[in-house]
Short mmCIF file of all heavy atoms in Angstrom, two decimals:
data_model
loop_
_atom_site.label_atom_id
_atom_site.label_comp_id
_atom_site.label_asym_id
_atom_site.label_seq_id
_atom_site.Cartn_x
_atom_site.Cartn_y
_atom_site.Cartn_z
N GLU F 38 -10.82 1.48 -3.42
CA GLU F 38 -12.06 1.28 -2.67
C GLU F 38 -12.70 2.61 -2.26
O GLU F 38 -13.92 2.74 -2.29
CB GLU F 38 -11.81 0.40 -1.46
CG GLU F 38 -11.41 -1.02 -1.85
CD GLU F 38 -11.06 -1.89 -0.66
OE1 GLU F 38 -11.82 -1.91 0.32
OE2 GLU F 38 -9.99 -2.56 -0.73
N GLU F 39 -11.87 3.59 -1.88
CA GLU F 39 -12.41 4.90 -1.51
C GLU F 39 -12.66 5.75 -2.76
O GLU F 39 -13.78 6.18 -3.02
CB GLU F 39 -11.48 5.64 -0.55
CG GLU F 39 -12.03 7.01 -0.14
CD GLU F 39 -11.10 7.76 0.80
OE1 GLU F 39 -9.87 7.76 0.57
OE2 GLU F 39 -11.63 8.34 1.75
N CYS F 40 -11.62 6.00 -3.53
CA CYS F 40 -11.73 6.91 -4.67
C CYS F 40 -12.63 6.32 -5.76
O CYS F 40 -13.55 6.99 -6.23
CB CYS F 40 -10.35 7.22 -5.23
SG CYS F 40 -10.36 8.40 -6.59
N VAL F 41 -12.38 5.10 -6.17
CA VAL F 41 -13.19 4.48 -7.23
C VAL F 41 -14.51 3.97 -6.68
O VAL F 41 -15.57 4.21 -7.25
CB VAL F 41 -12.40 3.34 -7.93
CG1 VAL F 41 -13.28 2.61 -8.93
CG2 VAL F 41 -11.15 3.88 -8.61
N GLY F 42 -14.46 3.28 -5.54
CA GLY F 42 -15.66 2.65 -4.99
C GLY F 42 -16.57 3.57 -4.20
O GLY F 42 -17.74 3.24 -3.97
N GLY F 43 -16.04 4.71 -3.77
CA GLY F 43 -16.87 5.66 -3.04
C GLY F 43 -17.16 5.30 -1.59
O GLY F 43 -18.08 5.85 -0.99
N ILE F 44 -16.37 4.40 -1.01
CA ILE F 44 -16.56 4.00 0.38
C ILE F 44 -15.54 4.74 1.25
O ILE F 44 -14.35 4.72 0.94
CB ILE F 44 -16.40 2.47 0.55
CG1 ILE F 44 -17.34 1.73 -0.40
CG2 ILE F 44 -16.65 2.06 2.00
CD1 ILE F 44 -17.04 0.25 -0.52
N SER F 45 -15.99 5.36 2.32
CA SER F 45 -15.08 6.17 3.14
C SER F 45 -14.05 5.30 3.85
O SER F 45 -14.28 4.11 4.10
CB SER F 45 -15.86 6.97 4.17
OG SER F 45 -16.34 6.12 5.20
N ARG F 46 -12.94 5.90 4.21
CA ARG F 46 -11.89 5.20 4.96
C ARG F 46 -12.44 4.66 6.26
O ARG F 46 -12.11 3.55 6.68
CB ARG F 46 -10.71 6.13 5.24
CG ARG F 46 -9.95 6.50 4.01
CD ARG F 46 -8.84 7.48 4.27
NE ARG F 46 -8.44 8.04 2.99
CZ ARG F 46 -7.39 8.79 2.81
NH1 ARG F 46 -6.61 9.10 3.82
NH2 ARG F 46 -7.09 9.25 1.62
N ARG F 47 -13.29 5.45 6.90
CA ARG F 47 -13.88 5.02 8.17
C ARG F 47 -14.70 3.75 7.96
O ARG F 47 -14.58 2.79 8.71
CB ARG F 47 -14.73 6.13 8.76
CG ARG F 47 -15.20 5.85 10.18
CD ARG F 47 -15.89 7.05 10.81
NE ARG F 47 -16.89 7.68 9.96
CZ ARG F 47 -18.15 7.27 9.85
NH1 ARG F 47 -18.58 6.24 10.54
NH2 ARG F 47 -18.99 7.91 9.06
N GLU F 48 -15.54 3.75 6.91
CA GLU F 48 -16.36 2.57 6.61
C GLU F 48 -15.49 1.36 6.25
O GLU F 48 -15.87 0.22 6.54
CB GLU F 48 -17.32 2.86 5.47
CG GLU F 48 -18.44 3.81 5.81
CD GLU F 48 -19.27 4.12 4.58
OE1 GLU F 48 -18.87 5.04 3.82
OE2 GLU F 48 -20.30 3.44 4.39
N LEU F 49 -14.36 1.61 5.62
CA LEU F 49 -13.45 0.53 5.23
C LEU F 49 -12.60 0.03 6.39
O LEU F 49 -11.93 -0.98 6.28
CB LEU F 49 -12.53 1.01 4.10
CG LEU F 49 -13.20 1.27 2.75
CD1 LEU F 49 -12.26 2.00 1.81
CD2 LEU F 49 -13.68 -0.04 2.13
N GLY F 50 -12.61 0.78 7.50
CA GLY F 50 -11.78 0.41 8.65
C GLY F 50 -10.32 0.76 8.45
O GLY F 50 -9.45 0.14 9.06
N LEU F 51 -10.06 1.76 7.61
CA LEU F 51 -8.69 2.17 7.32
C LEU F 51 -8.27 3.32 8.22
O LEU F 51 -9.09 4.15 8.59
CB LEU F 51 -8.57 2.63 5.86
CG LEU F 51 -8.83 1.57 4.79
CD1 LEU F 51 -8.78 2.22 3.41
CD2 LEU F 51 -7.84 0.43 4.89
N VAL F 52 -6.99 3.36 8.55
CA VAL F 52 -6.46 4.51 9.27
C VAL F 52 -6.63 5.74 8.38
O VAL F 52 -6.73 5.63 7.16
CB VAL F 52 -4.98 4.31 9.69
CG1 VAL F 52 -4.87 3.15 10.67
CG2 VAL F 52 -4.08 4.11 8.50
N SER F 53 -6.63 6.91 9.00
CA SER F 53 -6.96 8.11 8.24
C SER F 53 -5.84 8.63 7.35
O SER F 53 -6.11 9.24 6.32
CB SER F 53 -7.44 9.21 9.17
OG SER F 53 -6.42 9.54 10.09
N GLY F 54 -4.59 8.40 7.72
CA GLY F 54 -3.51 8.99 6.94
C GLY F 54 -2.38 8.03 6.62
O GLY F 54 -2.25 6.97 7.23
N PRO F 55 -1.54 8.43 5.68
CA PRO F 55 -0.45 7.55 5.24
C PRO F 55 0.56 7.22 6.33
O PRO F 55 1.05 6.08 6.39
CB PRO F 55 0.20 8.30 4.09
CG PRO F 55 -0.29 9.70 4.17
CD PRO F 55 -1.57 9.69 4.93
N ASP F 56 0.90 8.16 7.20
CA ASP F 56 1.90 7.87 8.24
C ASP F 56 1.44 6.73 9.14
O ASP F 56 2.23 5.86 9.51
CB ASP F 56 2.20 9.12 9.07
CG ASP F 56 2.96 10.17 8.29
OD1 ASP F 56 3.53 9.83 7.22
OD2 ASP F 56 2.98 11.33 8.73
N GLU F 57 0.17 6.73 9.47
CA GLU F 57 -0.39 5.67 10.33
C GLU F 57 -0.37 4.31 9.64
O GLU F 57 -0.34 3.28 10.30
CB GLU F 57 -1.83 6.00 10.72
CG GLU F 57 -1.99 7.27 11.52
CD GLU F 57 -3.45 7.65 11.60
OE1 GLU F 57 -4.15 7.13 12.50
OE2 GLU F 57 -3.88 8.45 10.75
N SER F 58 -0.41 4.31 8.32
CA SER F 58 -0.51 3.05 7.58
C SER F 58 0.76 2.21 7.64
O SER F 58 0.74 1.02 7.32
CB SER F 58 -0.88 3.32 6.12
OG SER F 58 0.18 3.93 5.42
N PHE F 59 1.86 2.80 8.07
CA PHE F 59 3.13 2.07 8.21
C PHE F 59 3.23 1.34 9.55
O PHE F 59 4.11 0.49 9.72
CB PHE F 59 4.32 3.04 8.11
CG PHE F 59 4.66 3.47 6.72
CD1 PHE F 59 4.06 4.61 6.17
CD2 PHE F 59 5.57 2.77 5.95
CE1 PHE F 59 4.38 5.03 4.89
CE2 PHE F 59 5.90 3.19 4.67
CZ PHE F 59 5.29 4.32 4.13
N ARG F 60 2.37 1.68 10.49
CA ARG F 60 2.47 1.13 11.85
C ARG F 60 2.14 -0.35 11.87
O ARG F 60 1.20 -0.80 11.24
CB ARG F 60 1.56 1.89 12.79
CG ARG F 60 2.05 3.30 13.01
CD ARG F 60 1.33 3.98 14.15
NE ARG F 60 1.72 5.38 14.18
CZ ARG F 60 0.87 6.38 14.20
NH1 ARG F 60 -0.41 6.16 14.24
NH2 ARG F 60 1.32 7.62 14.20
N LEU F 61 2.92 -1.08 12.67
CA LEU F 61 2.75 -2.52 12.79
C LEU F 61 2.03 -2.86 14.08
O LEU F 61 2.17 -2.17 15.08
CB LEU F 61 4.11 -3.21 12.78
CG LEU F 61 5.01 -2.89 11.58
CD1 LEU F 61 6.34 -3.60 11.74
CD2 LEU F 61 4.33 -3.27 10.29
N SER F 62 1.31 -3.96 14.05
CA SER F 62 0.71 -4.49 15.27
C SER F 62 1.46 -5.78 15.62
O SER F 62 2.16 -6.36 14.78
CB SER F 62 -0.78 -4.77 15.08
OG SER F 62 -0.96 -5.94 14.31
N ASP F 63 1.30 -6.22 16.85
CA ASP F 63 1.95 -7.47 17.27
C ASP F 63 1.41 -8.67 16.49
O ASP F 63 2.08 -9.69 16.39
CB ASP F 63 1.74 -7.70 18.77
CG ASP F 63 2.50 -6.69 19.62
OD1 ASP F 63 3.45 -6.06 19.10
OD2 ASP F 63 2.14 -6.52 20.79
N ASP F 64 0.20 -8.55 15.95
CA ASP F 64 -0.43 -9.65 15.22
C ASP F 64 0.03 -9.76 13.76
O ASP F 64 -0.29 -10.74 13.10
CB ASP F 64 -1.95 -9.49 15.24
CG ASP F 64 -2.52 -9.60 16.64
OD1 ASP F 64 -1.88 -10.24 17.49
OD2 ASP F 64 -3.60 -9.02 16.88
N ASP F 65 0.73 -8.76 13.27
CA ASP F 65 1.18 -8.80 11.88
C ASP F 65 2.22 -9.90 11.68
O ASP F 65 3.17 -10.02 12.44
CB ASP F 65 1.79 -7.46 11.47
CG ASP F 65 0.77 -6.36 11.31
OD1 ASP F 65 -0.38 -6.67 10.94
OD2 ASP F 65 1.12 -5.19 11.55
N THR F 66 2.01 -10.68 10.63
CA THR F 66 2.96 -11.71 10.23
C THR F 66 3.19 -11.58 8.73
O THR F 66 2.41 -10.90 8.04
CB THR F 66 2.43 -13.13 10.52
OG1 THR F 66 1.26 -13.35 9.70
CG2 THR F 66 2.09 -13.32 11.99
N ILE F 67 4.22 -12.23 8.24
CA ILE F 67 4.44 -12.21 6.80
C ILE F 67 3.21 -12.73 6.09
O ILE F 67 2.74 -12.14 5.12
CB ILE F 67 5.71 -13.02 6.43
CG1 ILE F 67 6.96 -12.27 6.90
CG2 ILE F 67 5.76 -13.28 4.92
CD1 ILE F 67 8.26 -13.03 6.73
N ALA F 68 2.63 -13.81 6.60
CA ALA F 68 1.44 -14.39 5.97
C ALA F 68 0.25 -13.43 6.01
O ALA F 68 -0.45 -13.26 5.00
CB ALA F 68 1.08 -15.71 6.64
N SER F 69 0.01 -12.78 7.13
CA SER F 69 -1.17 -11.92 7.24
C SER F 69 -1.03 -10.64 6.42
O SER F 69 -1.98 -10.20 5.77
CB SER F 69 -1.47 -11.58 8.70
OG SER F 69 -0.49 -10.72 9.25
N VAL F 70 0.15 -10.05 6.44
CA VAL F 70 0.36 -8.80 5.69
C VAL F 70 0.33 -9.08 4.19
O VAL F 70 -0.25 -8.32 3.41
CB VAL F 70 1.67 -8.12 6.14
CG1 VAL F 70 2.01 -6.94 5.26
CG2 VAL F 70 1.56 -7.68 7.59
N THR F 71 0.91 -10.19 3.77
CA THR F 71 0.90 -10.58 2.36
C THR F 71 -0.52 -10.90 1.90
O THR F 71 -0.94 -10.49 0.82
CB THR F 71 1.84 -11.77 2.12
OG1 THR F 71 3.16 -11.41 2.54
CG2 THR F 71 1.88 -12.19 0.68
N ALA F 72 -1.27 -11.61 2.74
CA ALA F 72 -2.66 -11.94 2.39
C ALA F 72 -3.52 -10.68 2.27
O ALA F 72 -4.34 -10.57 1.35
CB ALA F 72 -3.25 -12.89 3.43
N ALA F 73 -3.32 -9.73 3.16
CA ALA F 73 -4.08 -8.48 3.10
C ALA F 73 -3.77 -7.74 1.79
O ALA F 73 -4.68 -7.18 1.15
CB ALA F 73 -3.77 -7.60 4.30
N HIS F 74 -2.51 -7.77 1.38
CA HIS F 74 -2.14 -7.11 0.13
C HIS F 74 -2.77 -7.82 -1.06
O HIS F 74 -3.32 -7.17 -1.96
CB HIS F 74 -0.62 -7.05 -0.03
CG HIS F 74 -0.20 -6.36 -1.28
ND1 HIS F 74 0.26 -7.03 -2.38
CD2 HIS F 74 -0.23 -5.04 -1.61
CE1 HIS F 74 0.52 -6.17 -3.33
NE2 HIS F 74 0.23 -4.96 -2.91
#
Side-chain angles (χ1 to χ4, degrees):
E38 295 176 47
E39 180 181 43
C40 183
V41 174
I44 305 168
S45 73
R46 291 177 196 189
R47 189 172 48 84
E48 290 176 275
L49 292 168
L51 296 176
V52 296
S53 61
D56 291 343
E57 298 168 86
S58 70
F59 283 90
R60 291 192 188 128
L61 305 178
S62 75
D63 292 340
D64 296 334
D65 288 330
T66 65
I67 289 174
S69 69
V70 172
T71 302
H74 182 256

